[in-house]
Amino acid sequence: MSEAELPQNAKSSGAKPSDTLSMPAVPRHVAIIMDGNGRWAAARGLPRAEGHRRGVEALRRTIRAAGEMGVKVITVFSFSSENWSRPAAEVGELMGLLRRFIRNDLAELHKSGVRVRIIGERAGLEADIGRLLIEAEELTKDNTGLTLVVAFNYGARQEIARAARQAAEAVAQGRLKPEDITVEILGGFLDTADLPDPDLIIRTSGEQRLSNFLLWQSAYSELVFVPTNWPDFDRAALESAIREYQQRERRFGGLTAKTGS
Ligand code: IPE
Ligand code: IPE
Ligand code: MG
């Protein structure tokens, strides 16, 4: 094809100085719906609990890889408000894994400068779990490396309802006027008040839904669904999801160089 036949925007050859400015950026905040532990186990004739245990190993790999890749915040969905409806033995197993994860990994995370944050409902959790969550946040609160947000006993609708309740209480006490309730004010009552919205949300296992995860914060997140079951997720899978993210054009309702001309 001669240059004359090329589409207008493909004619210039060589990098323009401005190309460096549009280099694909690593997402600042990656959120992950770690799904498919049960199916991973079933495919191998193993108990579901084994899938959850291997899922913790995938979590360790992914936290390390994300930090090394320059991601600033990683949020992982570890137990949903709706997961209480699973058989008691499985719920017990998942609670045990959280306990073990904090007991075994907290010191190492702290040493690598990770700041741990927990989002979700604390009320109603077993007392020792509540204490472990506080310990993890307290120990690491001044760290300046990767922020690891664990969504535990988390449901986005419940989070929004809690925020609305707090706003209503502030109005009832005369600290807030109804007309002053804006997106920013209500967002400030969410568990994620001090965190940026996720740029990229990855869900493993092939399911294509949010399952009550970060419904408010995901308004403009890019969604990437991967067929891999969570226990098989690794650095290469994270890199591949990030490459897909980098090919997306984020518009936030406006126009970009491409759509505006
Ligand atoms: C994700 O794996 C872990 C949690 C939801 C706690 P699942 O346990 O949902 O695995 P599948 O979806 O049944 O394969
Ligand atoms: C979402 O996965 C919750 C977590 C990954 C912790 P589920 O497996 O609970 O979601 P559904 O039931 O398939 O929508
Ligand atoms: Mg699932």
Side-chain angles (χ1 to χ4, degrees):
M1 197 187 257
S2 77
E3 173 139 322
E5 295 169 83
L6 286 171
Q8 201 59 40
N9 59 4
K11 270 185 195 167
S12 66
S13 59
K16 297 185 290 301
S18 65
D19 283 358
T20 48
L21 294 174
S22 57
M23 284 264 282
V26 170
R28 178 171 172 217
H29 181 176
V30 177
I32 308 183
I33 303 173
M34 309 184 289
D35 196 16
N37 293 350
R39 277 163 285 172
W40 181 93
R44 289 159 180 79
L46 298 168
R48 290 179 60 84
E50 185 57 25
H52 295 315
R53 284 194 280 273
R54 297 290 290 264
V56 177
E57 289 169 26
L59 175 61
R60 290 192 183 105
R61 288 198 288 275
T62 305
I63 294 170
R64 204 175 313 122
E68 288 168 9
M69 287 165 74
V71 169
K72 299 283 180 249
V73 182
I74 181 167
T75 298
V76 292
F77 201 3
S78 73
F79 190 85
S80 80
S81 307
E82 289 74 31
N83 287 148
W84 293 106
S85 65
R86 296 189 180 196
E90 180 164 347
V91 169
E93 184 69 40
L94 290 166
M95 295 295 142
L97 280 177
L98 178 84
R99 285 185 178 96
R100 265 173 278 158
F101 178 70
I102 297 182
R103 286 195 195 118
N104 298 336
D105 289 51
L106 183 61
E108 183 67 34
L109 290 169
H110 182 46
K111 220 168 73 192
S112 7
V114 173
R115 182 173 70 116
V116 180
R117 285 283 319 275
I118 320 285
I119 58 171
E121 177 65 66
R122 300 287 176 98
L125 294 176
E126 288 175 66
D128 72 307
I129 291 193
R131 282 194 296 272
L132 282 172
L133 300 183
I134 293 170
E135 182 192 333
E137 288 191 321
E138 275 297 310
L139 178 70
T140 62
K141 67 178 189 309
D142 296 325
N143 289 347
T144 53
L146 178 74
T147 296
L148 167 65
V149 184
V150 181
F152 180 76
N153 194 20
Y154 175 86
R157 287 176 164 179
Q158 290 83 344
E159 177 194 31
I160 293 167
R162 276 200 306 279
R165 202 178 309 135
Q166 286 179 44
E169 278 162 11
V171 169
Q173 294 164 4
R175 291 184 280 118
L176 185 66
K177 294 206 278 303
E179 59 270 30
D180 290 340
I181 298 180
T182 57
V183 165
E184 288 71 29
I185 295 289
L186 199 53
F189 284 110
L190 295 172
D191 298 354
T192 52
D194 58 334
L195 298 166
D197 286 341
D199 301 293
L200 166 63
I201 297 181
I202 301 168
R203 183 171 187 148
T204 60
S205 89
E207 304 298 349
Q208 302 193 2
R209 56 176 171 266
L210 288 175
S211 302
N212 205 13
F213 185 52
L214 300 178
L215 298 182
W216 172 286
Q217 300 85 346
S218 63
Y220 275 102
S221 304
E222 295 298 330
L223 309 181
V224 171
F225 299 102
V226 301
T228 318
N229 283 322
W230 178 247
D232 286 331
F233 199 83
D234 58 8
R235 174 185 296 263
L238 179 65
E239 281 172 0
S240 145
I242 289 180
R243 270 197 301 277
E244 180 164 345
Y245 162 85
Q246 289 171 332
Q247 278 152 24
R248 304 277 178 88
E249 192 190 34
R250 304 187 77 189
R251 296 186 197 149
F252 301 99
L255 300 177
T256 59
K258 231 188 270 176
T259 53
S261 57

